[in-house]
Amino acid sequence: MKNYLEKLINQENLTTEEMKDAVNYCFTDAVTDSEIAAFLTALQVKGETSDEITGIVDVIRNESLFQGTSISGAIDNCGTGGDRSYSFNISTTSAFVLAGAGVTVAKHGNRSITSKSGSADVLEQLGVSLSFTKEQIEELLLENQIAFLFAPNVHVALKPFTKVRKELKIPTIFNAIGPLTNPINLDSQLLGVYRQELMPILAEALHKLGRRRAVVVNGAGNVDEATLAGENQLMLLDDGKITSFTLRPEDVGLPYYSKDEIRGGNANQNAEILLSVLKGKNGAYYNTTILNAGIGIFANGKAETIEDGIELARESIDSGAALAKLEYLINYSSRIPSEVF
C-alpha cells in the first residue's frame, strides 16, 4: 500500500491492476483504518481516472454474493451524491416511474451520508425491506420490475470502507463509484454526478464495465440529478460511442423551478413527497421527477427521445402504474419474517 500511496501523493495514476491490488489489500486483516483513510483521501485529492474506477468497481462487484443473477436488460438510476443540495429523493421517486413505464429497475442505494435522507432511509420509512435476499431480488425484478438493493446488504465486505467513510464525512471515490458497484449485470444506466469534470471519466468507465447504453448527467447548479433550474449537461454512451449535449426545461416543454423549490427534508418528509408525486400532485417535485424518469427511459432505449421518455413517465404516474410498483414492494416486504426484515 505504501508504494500506491506514494504514487497518488505524487499525482501519479494507478493502472487498473494496481488499483485492484490496492483494493484487495484493503479487504485483508493487515490493513488499518488509517491506511484506508489515506488511500481514499489521496485518491480524492489527485482525482479519479476511468482505469482506477474500473479497477475498484471490479473488485467490489466480485466480492458481492449478489453478483450473477439471471436478470437481463435492467437499469439503475442511482446518483453519486455529494452535491449537498438537500433535494428530495429524486432518483428513488423516478425509479418507480421507470418501473411503471415497463423498464426493469435494479435500484441500488444506501442510507444518507452527505444528505438528510438517502434512498434507503426514505424506502424504509415507507415500509420497504432493506434485507432482500438474492433470490427475492430476482423474484421482484421478474414480477414487479423493481427491487431495492441496499448497499451494505449486497456489499457486506465493504464494512471497513463504510466505517472510514462515516468518520471522514467528506465525499470520496465511493461517491463516484457507488452507482457503478450494483452487482446486477446492468444493460443500461442513468448516472447523476455533481462534479462536471467526472462526466467523461464515468462515461468511459461505464463503457469499460459493459454498459450497452447510459446517460451521465450533471444538473444545473452542479446537482447529481437533472433539474429544471437551467442548463443540464449530459453525456450519452451508445454502443461505445460517447456524445455530449445540453438540456434546458424549454427543450422538453417543462417549466422552470429553482433548486430551492425541490428541497426535501428528513426521511418522513421525503416519503410524503415521493407519495405525492406518485399520486400525481403537480408542481416542482412532479416535473423534476418526470424529467429524470424521462431521461432514464431514454437511457434504457425504451424511448427514442427524452421528450418521448417524459411522456411515458407522465403516463406511468397518471395511470397509477408507478404507485402500484411501490405498493407491491411494500406488500412484499410485509410478508418477510420479522427476523429478516
Side-chain angles (χ1 to χ4, degrees), residues 40-54:
L40 294 179
T41 303
L43 272 171
Q44 180 72 10
V45 172
K46 179 188 72 67
E48 311 89 339
T49 67
S50 62
D51 284 341
E52 290 166 344
I53 288 173
T54 302

Side-chain angles (χ1 to χ4, degrees), residues 159 167 212 219 223 273 281 286 300:
K159 286 182 180 179
E167 292 173 352
R212 174 188 59 84
V223 179
I273 293 171
K281 183 179 179 181
Y286 176 95
N300 178 256

Side-chain angles (χ1 to χ4, degrees), residues 17-260:
E17 291 307 313
E18 286 176 330
M19 191 67 173
K20 287 182 180 180
D21 188 42
V23 177
N24 277 319
Y25 171 72
C26 291
F27 287 128
T28 68
D29 293 335
V31 75
T32 65
D33 287 351
S34 295
E35 285 178 305
I36 294 177
F39 180 59
L40 294 179
T41 303
L43 272 171
Q44 180 72 10
V45 172
K46 179 188 72 67
E48 311 89 339
T49 67
S50 62
D51 284 341
E52 290 166 344
I53 288 173
T54 302
I56 189 172
V57 168
D58 278 342
V59 173
I60 292 171
R61 293 186 75 247
N62 286 335
E63 290 284 336
S64 175
L65 298 177
F66 281 66
Q67 192 175 22
T69 62
S70 58
I71 304 301
S72 61
I75 191 174
D76 191 5
N77 68 329
C78 181
T80 61
D83 62 14
R84 300 186 184 277
S85 66
Y86 305 112
S87 61
F88 75 106
N89 293 98
I90 298 171
S91 65
T92 306
T93 309
S94 301
F96 293 103
V97 181
L98 281 162
V103 177
T104 300
V105 185
K107 186 73 179 79
H108 186 246
N110 207 339
R111 293 194 184 278
S112 168
I113 294 177
T114 56
S115 64
K116 292 182 179 180
S117 172
S119 55
D121 300 307
V122 72
L123 289 175
E124 184 179 51
Q125 182 69 35
L126 289 164
V128 174
S129 173
L130 305 184
S131 305
F132 294 129
T133 65
K134 179 179 177 179
E135 292 72 25
Q136 289 167 339
I137 292 291
E138 290 184 323
E139 182 180 349
L140 284 165
L141 290 175
L142 288 170
E143 295 184 1
N144 192 46
Q145 288 190 285
I146 186 169
F148 181 67
L149 292 91
F150 182 43
N153 188 37
V154 301
H155 298 300
V156 178
L158 285 180
K159 286 182 180 179
F161 285 104
T162 304
K163 177 177 180 292
V164 171
R165 288 182 71 202
K166 286 183 178 179
E167 292 173 352
L168 285 175
K169 296 180 180 179
I170 60 171
T172 68
I173 190 173
F174 277 86
N175 288 100
I177 67 157
L180 303 179
T181 61
N182 192 322
I184 303 296
N185 291 321
L186 301 174
D187 177 67
S188 57
Q189 190 153 0
L190 171 58
L191 174 55
V193 56
Y194 78 102
R195 291 166 53 196
Q196 194 172 140
E197 69 272 16
L198 272 180
M199 292 180 68
I201 297 170
L202 289 174
E204 291 170 8
L206 285 164
H207 174 54
K208 292 175 181 178
L209 291 166
R211 304 293 188 271
R212 174 188 59 84
R213 191 173 162 92
V215 170
V216 181
V217 58
N218 172 251
N222 289 319
V223 179
D224 72 331
E225 313 276 1
T227 78
L228 293 166
E231 188 171 86
N232 301 277
Q233 308 296 323
L234 293 91
M235 282 190 170
L236 170 66
L237 166 68
D238 188 10
D239 289 327
K241 182 181 179 182
I242 298 173
T243 55
S244 301
F245 60 102
T246 60
L247 184 70
R248 297 174 297 273
E250 57 267 30
D251 295 334
V252 289
L254 291 175
Y256 173 94
Y257 292 101
S258 70
K259 288 199 299 182
D260 288 341

